Amino acid sequence: MEQRVAVVGLGYVGLPLAVEFGKKQNIIGFDINPQRIEELKQGYDRTNEVDVKDLEEAAVEFTSSSSDISKANFIIVAVPTPITDNKQPDLIPLVKASQTIGENLTKGTIVVYESTVYPGATEEECAPVLEKASGLKCGEDFFVGYSPERINPGDKEHTFTTITKVVSGQNNEVLETISDVYGDVVKAGVHKASSIKVAEAAKVIENTQRDLNISLMNELSVIFEKLGIDTAEVLEAAGTKWNFLNFSPGLVGGHCIGVDPYYLTYKAQKVGHHPEVILAGRKTNDNVGKFIATSLVKQMIKKNMPVQGSTVTLLGFTFKENVSDLRNTRVIDIVKELEDFDINVQITDAYADAEEAYKEYEIDLSPYKELKPAEAVVFAVPHKSYLDEGWGMFDHLLKHGKGIVFDVKSKLDKSDCPENIELRRL
């Protein structure tokens, strides 16, 4: 049977996926946000993940009408799976998407989930919702599969088509169909997992592994600061060994690395295991923002600079460079800690939407050109436009062109640092 594809959820993951499928056939692109749909119809992608030309040329029927989902018999679900304030999995978006799909599900349809979940969630949480909403039976009237998303926002080299796609299905026949559908668009090929749970687990440990490696670097950074050693120089020296892993300290936010480990730890605790190493890594990474802020304040005191009432500029607010994504940005931790010292914090970002920043975090973004000269600058997110300016940008960012610069990701060339600037690195 010919597969008519529908993609549910047109964010950072779903849209690139929909566009690539749309280059091969006419597909349905569904999102619950009517404004998002109208923008896409006009050829505008606010996430900047898809080129205008690709968006216009792809045969995607963009819609916010859920009934259009019934036109498809191969449905891909790419909705967010965040965590709650208590760091527990928040499956509400996934459950609501499953409910909507179930209400428009036809016999013989395959539903493939791409959202990050804990092992077992697809079959234990999503499939029953589909069954209840549709009145159909999973495994007989419709089928489910799981193929974890591997989109890296802002990365134009590692894209949907160039990353090996892990696929899984609830039986061999479904697996082969899912493999064929993805294999038709993914140039890098597919890897067939032996079960849905294996595929779910593979996804969740990919980012857990990165989280733990970064947490080690962050802890080393704290140690080296107390020893008066530059962490970046230590890593550069250690990196000359062939098998040294190339990880750097930094803020760990976003919708993947800073979130996914909690899905695994939740499931681990459900089956009676306390995941000490994973949670320790999470705790370390969640404290990085506070460490940066207090380190900066200590340096200001050492330099006899005023703390209370002083001005500190934060350069960058998104969760990573060259993207507009503000989800789970840990830059906010630096902001809150500095404000606790009665410091005037001004924040700017080359990509972030000011309205969204206020809505999500109640902070006001300042236009770059309207920033007031500050005693110190925290270079939090190294967007390309900032790196292109280099050290020259601090002539107007710092009072009289002198002060402290905290380069969180060590992207500025230390050897070119002006004499009147005190450089700190994580």
Side-chain angles (χ1 to χ4, degrees):
M1 178 170 51
E2 183 180 352
Q3 305 301 324
R4 178 80 190 279
V5 176
V7 177
V8 174
L10 299 174
Y12 288 85
V13 173
L15 182 62
L17 189 152
V19 167
E20 290 302 328
F21 274 107
K23 292 178 181 179
K24 294 284 187 177
Q25 59 168 288
N26 294 319
I27 77 156
I28 306 295
F30 171 81
D31 198 281
I32 59 173
N33 186 344
Q35 182 182 352
R36 173 71 165 158
I37 293 299
E38 285 306 310
E39 289 176 350
L40 293 175
K41 286 181 177 179
Q42 298 299 319
Y44 171 61
D45 170 28
R46 63 172 56 244
T47 68
N48 295 314
E49 288 299 308
V50 175
D51 293 335
V52 174
K53 183 180 178 182
D54 288 338
L55 191 57
E56 291 176 345
E57 292 180 352
V60 182
E61 180 186 335
F62 293 113
T63 179
S64 58
S65 176
S66 58
S67 61
D68 288 329
I69 297 173
S70 63
K71 301 175 184 177
N73 59 2
F74 191 98
I75 302 171
I76 300 172
V77 187
V79 298
T81 43
I83 53 175
T84 66
D85 292 339
N86 295 323
K87 302 188 187 316
Q88 297 289 301
D90 180 3
L91 295 179
I92 291 176
L94 199 61
V95 169
K96 286 185 174 179
S98 298
Q99 172 76 27
T100 300
I101 293 167
E103 292 169 354
N104 297 278
L105 199 61
T106 57
K107 281 192 174 184
T109 296
I110 295 174
V111 182
V112 181
Y113 290 87
E114 291 216 359
S115 307
T116 301
V117 292
Y118 50 78
T122 299
E123 293 160 294
E124 297 164 11
E125 304 292 341
C126 300
V129 176
L130 292 171
E131 286 186 325
K132 184 176 180 180
S134 66
L136 302 175
K137 186 162 181 61
C138 186
E140 294 180 12
D141 301 319
F142 71 90
F143 307 90
V144 295
Y146 184 79
S147 180
E149 63 90 1
R150 284 175 162 175
I151 295 293
N152 184 25
D155 190 339
K156 301 302 181 183
E157 179 183 355
H158 303 98
T159 62
F160 171 63
T161 62
T162 63
I163 303 171
T164 300
K165 200 78 172 84
V166 174
V167 296
S168 64
Q170 66 184 126
N171 61 42
N172 287 334
E173 185 179 351
V174 172
L175 173 60
E176 290 303 320
T177 300
I178 294 173
S179 177
D180 289 343
V181 171
Y182 277 108
D184 192 40
V185 293
V186 178
K187 299 174 184 176
V190 299
H191 174 86
K192 299 175 185 177
S194 61
S195 70
I196 290 175
K197 283 186 179 180
V198 166
E200 291 168 326
K203 168 58 184 177
V204 83
I205 71 163
E206 288 174 12
N207 287 326
T208 299
Q209 182 188 65
R210 286 187 55 78
D211 192 44
L212 284 170
N213 277 293
I214 296 170
S215 72
L216 173 61
M217 298 301 109
N218 281 328
E219 185 161 59
L220 291 175
S221 181
V222 174
I223 296 170
F224 293 149
E225 187 201 44
K226 293 181 181 297
L227 294 174
I229 304 173
D230 189 309
T231 304
E233 292 181 2
V234 174
L235 295 178
E236 182 181 4
T240 59
K241 189 181 181 191
W242 77 92
N243 61 351
F244 185 80
L245 300 180
N246 184 27
F247 286 92
S248 302
L251 297 164
V252 184
H255 59 99
C256 290
I257 301 178
V259 171
D260 296 354
Y262 289 118
Y263 275 76
L264 184 57
T265 58
Y266 167 82
K267 189 64 174 181
Q269 289 166 334
K270 283 288 186 182
V271 295
H273 175 74
H274 181 69
E276 295 182 8
V277 174
I278 299 173
L279 289 174
R282 278 281 72 238
K283 183 178 179 180
T284 297
N285 286 340
D286 280 344
N287 286 327
V288 172
K290 182 177 182 178
F291 172 70
I292 292 169
T294 53
S295 295
L296 175 61
V297 169
K298 288 178 183 178
Q299 191 62 24
M300 293 174 72
I301 294 171
K302 287 180 182 179
K303 301 287 287 183
N304 293 317
M305 297 171 67
V307 175
Q308 270 190 313
S310 64
T311 298
V312 172
T313 295
L314 262 72
L315 208 54
F317 190 66
T318 58
F319 92 89
K320 66 178 288 189
E321 57 269 27
N322 305 321
V323 300
S324 60
D325 198 346
L326 292 174
R327 288 177 296 171
N328 194 35
T329 176
R330 296 330 316 159
V331 180
I332 191 65
D333 299 336
I334 306 175
V335 176
K336 290 179 179 178
E337 192 68 21
L338 290 175
E339 288 179 340
D340 283 347
F341 285 100
D342 291 330
I343 292 172
N344 298 316
V345 182
Q346 54 183 359
I347 312 157
T348 191
D349 192 281
Y351 288 84
D353 180 79
E355 184 178 334
E356 182 183 355
Y358 187 81
K359 179 181 178 182
E360 294 294 325
Y361 301 99
E362 293 187 345
I363 63 113
D364 293 308
L365 293 182
S366 301
Y368 181 78
K369 293 183 179 180
E370 295 179 15
L371 293 170
K372 298 175 182 178
E375 277 80 15
V377 174
V378 177
F379 189 18
V381 187
H383 292 311
K384 184 178 183 300
S385 58
Y386 301 148
L387 292 175
D388 288 343
E389 280 198 60
W391 287 107
M393 64 183 165
F394 299 105
D395 290 341
H396 64 275
L397 292 177
L398 291 169
K399 288 183 177 179
H400 311 296
K402 62 181 181 179
I404 301 173
V405 172
F406 199 120
D407 183 10
V408 172
K409 299 195 79 171
S410 300
K411 291 296 184 179
L412 296 167
D413 189 342
K414 185 178 181 180
S415 63
D416 290 335
C417 179
E419 293 182 2
N420 54 350
I421 291 179
E422 174 80 15
L423 174 63
R424 304 293 295 175
R425 302 198 285 188
L426 188 61

